[in-house]
Amino acid sequence: NLDLKCAGLVLTLTEANTIVLRNAKENLTKDKYWNKYLYPVTLPKRTDIAKGQLDQIHILDSDNYESKTAITAITTELIKRVS
């Protein structure tokens, strides 16, 4: 009996400037249903973050500026959407 709503769609493990990412964004942007859910920021694929998870290292504690910026922007967007 929960009234759940989608808070958005975040593309993760993305690689910048690739055909795959470009096509995914294009397809979702053109889709009438998913377009309104797509977050403007994606979370990039970074193997150092995956390795850090084995040692319980959070993304914000990593040395990867791009990933830290992305996760911050995604979180900010989520807060904005649910407020």
Side-chain angles (χ1 to χ4, degrees):
N1 292 331
L2 297 175
D3 184 27
L4 301 177
K5 295 180 181 146
C6 180
L9 178 64
V10 178
L11 299 178
T12 62
L13 299 174
T14 60
E15 296 182 75
N17 303 317
T18 62
I19 293 172
V20 172
L21 179 58
R22 186 169 47 250
N23 287 346
K25 283 182 172 181
E26 187 176 307
N27 289 334
L28 292 166
T29 301
K30 288 180 182 178
D31 187 283
K32 290 179 183 179
Y33 179 79
W34 290 111
N35 181 21
K36 63 186 172 209
Y37 293 111
L38 187 61
Y39 277 50
V41 177
T42 66
L43 188 61
K45 176 182 174 183
R46 295 292 176 263
T47 55
D48 58 321
I49 290 174
K51 289 176 187 174
Q53 289 178 341
L54 297 173
D55 296 321
Q56 304 296 310
I57 297 173
H58 190 275
I59 292 173
L60 293 177
D61 295 328
S62 74
D63 293 332
N64 192 295
Y65 177 79
E66 183 181 15
S67 295
K68 291 196 301 189
T69 302
I71 199 74
T72 301
I74 291 165
T75 304
T76 301
E77 179 71 17
L78 173 64
I79 291 168
K80 182 176 117 183
R81 290 180 183 213
V82 297
S83 295

